[in-house]
Amino acid sequence: MRPAAKRALATAAAGAAGFAWYHGQIPTSQLYGRTICRVREAGKAIALTYDDGPNPRETPGLIEILDRHGAKATFLRIGRWAEREPQLIRELVAAGHAIGNHTHTHPTMPLRTAGQLREDLRRCREAVEAAGVELARVDGRALMRPPYGRRRPGTLRVLKEEGYVPLLWSITCYDWRRTATTAKLVRRAARARDGDIVLLHDGSHTDPAHDRSASIAATDEVLGRLTADGYRFVTVPELVAAGGIP
């Protein structure tokens, strides 16, 4: 093969890989299938979402902060941690928050077979239901967030067949980074405006009691700032009810 042809082939391959990465990773892309990432028509309402708990170290304090500000949030739970902390699942729902499926083991879903995906979804759902709680629903389908936001057409097809609506986000705070500080998280989260869905974490998929104190402190400050500006903090089902399915 001639050098020019090799370069053209390499360029095409890189372009295809970049295309696949973008639409399988960027949360606002809708090419591979519809997801909930923002509800612009919801007015001055924002949805805070928290992944990877329940976390006995951080989730109770987060519940108190949300309650103090009159805010509701959506919690995407890992099944194996839900099995460890069923009381925290019940406390979240009793406080008016919504619960979603975040798989049982937090895999990279596009690398799993359809059968493996169904099993991981089933085990998480059963862990939540064993706590006496049902997953929150939008338009009759249960909320589910793919770990890392990663998906492909086959991933979304399995979710639809299993009765789930995929939930992503419009603002990420990168609170999993080692360099994350409360000030950095506040700057990112405080950008939220009408209908935004904000990604934060109250847990970690590697440690059931991971330190998320920066995320919890940032939540307190952001709620104080934005409620003073007239914003309401609601669950994802409430956000969709206010603005319709995007």
Side-chain angles (χ1 to χ4, degrees):
M1 183 180 293
R2 294 180 179 179
K6 288 183 178 179
R7 287 194 296 271
L9 184 61
T11 299
F19 179 92
W21 177 88
Y22 182 91
H23 295 292
Q25 181 70 60
I26 299 302
T28 52
S29 172
Q30 302 291 294
L31 183 67
Y32 286 166
R34 188 180 68 179
T35 67
I36 298 173
C37 58
R38 188 182 184 190
V39 184
R40 296 178 184 273
E41 295 77 15
K44 297 196 73 169
I46 295 169
L48 296 179
T49 66
Y50 297 86
D51 287 5
D52 294 357
N55 180 342
R57 175 176 179 169
E58 307 289 5
T59 306
L62 179 56
I63 294 173
E64 293 177 4
I65 288 170
L66 292 166
D67 183 64
R68 176 157 35 89
H69 289 279
K72 305 303 178 187
T74 302
F75 290 81
L76 292 309
R77 307 291 77 181
I78 291 177
R80 59 179 177 163
W81 300 158
E83 289 177 341
R84 294 170 58 107
E85 305 290 341
Q87 181 59 32
L88 282 178
I89 298 290
R90 290 190 286 269
E91 289 177 12
L92 285 166
V93 173
H97 306 299
I99 302 293
N101 190 324
H102 199 42
T103 74
H104 193 75
T105 61
H106 204 275
T108 296
M109 296 182 76
L111 301 182
R112 297 296 182 92
T113 66
Q116 289 171 329
L117 294 181
R118 296 180 202 280
E119 176 69 4
D120 224 291
L121 292 167
R122 179 190 63 79
R123 294 181 68 190
C124 180
R125 183 186 68 246
E126 290 181 352
V128 171
E129 291 176 348
V133 167
E134 292 187 1
L135 295 171
R137 293 181 173 272
V138 168
D139 195 30
R141 292 187 292 158
L143 285 178
M144 190 278 157
R145 173 170 285 160
Y148 316 105
R150 295 172 186 160
R151 70 273 186 206
R152 62 181 181 181
T155 306
L156 298 180
R157 183 168 57 251
V158 169
L159 293 181
K160 183 177 180 179
E161 291 171 352
E162 293 297 308
Y164 289 97
V165 56
L167 170 64
L168 295 177
W169 58 88
S170 54
I171 291 180
T172 180
C173 299
Y174 299 102
D175 57 344
W176 60 86
R177 291 179 174 173
R178 292 179 181 271
T179 56
T181 63
T182 298
K184 288 180 179 180
L185 303 186
V186 168
R187 283 197 297 272
R188 290 185 177 278
R191 297 178 303 169
R193 294 297 181 266
D194 300 9
D196 272 321
I197 296 174
V198 181
L199 170 65
L200 286 160
H201 294 74
D202 64 331
S204 166
H205 69 283
T206 61
D207 177 5
H210 190 74
D211 180 3
R212 292 294 187 195
S213 55
S215 302
I216 308 309
T219 296
D220 195 10
E221 186 167 343
V222 168
L223 286 171
R225 287 190 188 186
L226 295 185
T227 53
D229 290 339
Y231 283 95
R232 298 178 296 114
F233 287 84
V234 300
T235 66
V236 169
E238 289 170 337
L239 192 73
V240 173
I245 296 179

